Short mmCIF file of all heavy atoms in Angstrom, two decimals:
data_model
loop_
_atom_site.label_atom_id
_atom_site.label_comp_id
_atom_site.label_asym_id
_atom_site.label_seq_id
_atom_site.Cartn_x
_atom_site.Cartn_y
_atom_site.Cartn_z
N THR L 87 8.05 2.23 5.10
CA THR L 87 6.80 1.90 5.78
C THR L 87 7.11 1.08 7.02
O THR L 87 7.91 0.13 6.95
CB THR L 87 5.86 1.10 4.85
OG1 THR L 87 5.39 1.98 3.82
CG2 THR L 87 4.67 0.54 5.60
N GLU L 88 6.52 1.47 8.14
CA GLU L 88 6.72 0.75 9.39
C GLU L 88 5.46 -0.03 9.75
O GLU L 88 4.36 0.52 9.67
CB GLU L 88 7.07 1.71 10.53
CG GLU L 88 8.52 2.15 10.55
CD GLU L 88 8.93 2.96 9.34
OE1 GLU L 88 8.29 3.96 9.03
OE2 GLU L 88 9.91 2.54 8.67
N ILE L 89 5.64 -1.28 10.13
CA ILE L 89 4.51 -2.12 10.52
C ILE L 89 4.79 -2.73 11.89
O ILE L 89 5.87 -3.28 12.11
CB ILE L 89 4.27 -3.26 9.50
CG1 ILE L 89 3.99 -2.69 8.10
CG2 ILE L 89 3.11 -4.15 9.95
CD1 ILE L 89 3.84 -3.75 7.03
N SER L 90 3.84 -2.61 12.80
CA SER L 90 3.94 -3.23 14.12
C SER L 90 2.70 -4.08 14.36
O SER L 90 1.58 -3.60 14.18
CB SER L 90 4.06 -2.17 15.21
OG SER L 90 5.26 -1.43 15.07
N ILE L 91 2.92 -5.33 14.73
CA ILE L 91 1.81 -6.23 15.06
C ILE L 91 1.63 -6.16 16.57
O ILE L 91 2.56 -6.45 17.33
CB ILE L 91 2.11 -7.68 14.65
CG1 ILE L 91 2.52 -7.75 13.17
CG2 ILE L 91 0.91 -8.57 14.92
CD1 ILE L 91 1.45 -7.33 12.20
N CYS L 92 0.44 -5.76 17.00
CA CYS L 92 0.20 -5.55 18.43
C CYS L 92 -0.94 -6.42 18.94
O CYS L 92 -1.90 -6.71 18.21
CB CYS L 92 -0.15 -4.08 18.69
SG CYS L 92 1.08 -2.93 18.08
N GLN L 93 -0.81 -6.79 20.20
CA GLN L 93 -1.87 -7.50 20.90
C GLN L 93 -2.13 -6.73 22.18
O GLN L 93 -1.26 -6.64 23.03
CB GLN L 93 -1.45 -8.94 21.20
CG GLN L 93 -2.60 -9.82 21.68
CD GLN L 93 -2.21 -11.28 21.70
OE1 GLN L 93 -1.05 -11.61 21.97
NE2 GLN L 93 -3.14 -12.17 21.43
N ASN L 94 -3.34 -6.15 22.27
CA ASN L 94 -3.63 -5.17 23.32
C ASN L 94 -2.62 -4.04 23.22
O ASN L 94 -2.50 -3.43 22.17
CB ASN L 94 -3.64 -5.84 24.70
CG ASN L 94 -4.71 -6.92 24.80
OD1 ASN L 94 -5.81 -6.73 24.30
ND2 ASN L 94 -4.39 -8.04 25.42
N LYS L 95 -1.83 -3.80 24.23
CA LYS L 95 -0.85 -2.71 24.16
C LYS L 95 0.58 -3.21 23.96
O LYS L 95 1.53 -2.44 24.03
CB LYS L 95 -0.92 -1.85 25.43
CG LYS L 95 -2.21 -1.04 25.53
CD LYS L 95 -2.16 -0.08 26.71
CE LYS L 95 -3.42 0.77 26.76
NZ LYS L 95 -3.37 1.76 27.86
N LYS L 96 0.70 -4.50 23.70
CA LYS L 96 2.03 -5.09 23.56
C LYS L 96 2.39 -5.26 22.08
O LYS L 96 1.60 -5.79 21.29
CB LYS L 96 2.07 -6.45 24.26
CG LYS L 96 3.45 -7.09 24.25
CD LYS L 96 3.40 -8.44 24.97
CE LYS L 96 4.78 -9.10 24.96
NZ LYS L 96 4.75 -10.45 25.58
N VAL L 97 3.60 -4.80 21.71
CA VAL L 97 4.10 -5.00 20.35
C VAL L 97 4.75 -6.37 20.29
O VAL L 97 5.71 -6.64 21.01
CB VAL L 97 5.12 -3.91 19.97
CG1 VAL L 97 5.68 -4.17 18.57
CG2 VAL L 97 4.49 -2.53 20.04
N ILE L 98 4.24 -7.26 19.42
CA ILE L 98 4.80 -8.61 19.35
C ILE L 98 5.69 -8.81 18.13
O ILE L 98 6.54 -9.71 18.11
CB ILE L 98 3.70 -9.69 19.41
CG1 ILE L 98 2.65 -9.46 18.32
CG2 ILE L 98 3.03 -9.70 20.78
CD1 ILE L 98 1.57 -10.55 18.28
N HIS L 99 5.51 -8.00 17.09
CA HIS L 99 6.39 -8.02 15.92
C HIS L 99 6.47 -6.62 15.37
O HIS L 99 5.50 -5.85 15.44
CB HIS L 99 5.84 -8.94 14.82
CG HIS L 99 5.77 -10.39 15.20
ND1 HIS L 99 6.89 -11.20 15.29
CD2 HIS L 99 4.71 -11.18 15.51
CE1 HIS L 99 6.52 -12.42 15.64
NE2 HIS L 99 5.20 -12.43 15.79
#
Side-chain angles (χ1 to χ4, degrees):
T87 290
E88 280 64 54
I89 301 176
S90 296
I91 308 296
C92 305
Q93 191 168 34
N94 298 320
K95 291 187 177 183
K96 185 180 179 183
V97 177
I98 55 177
H99 296 286

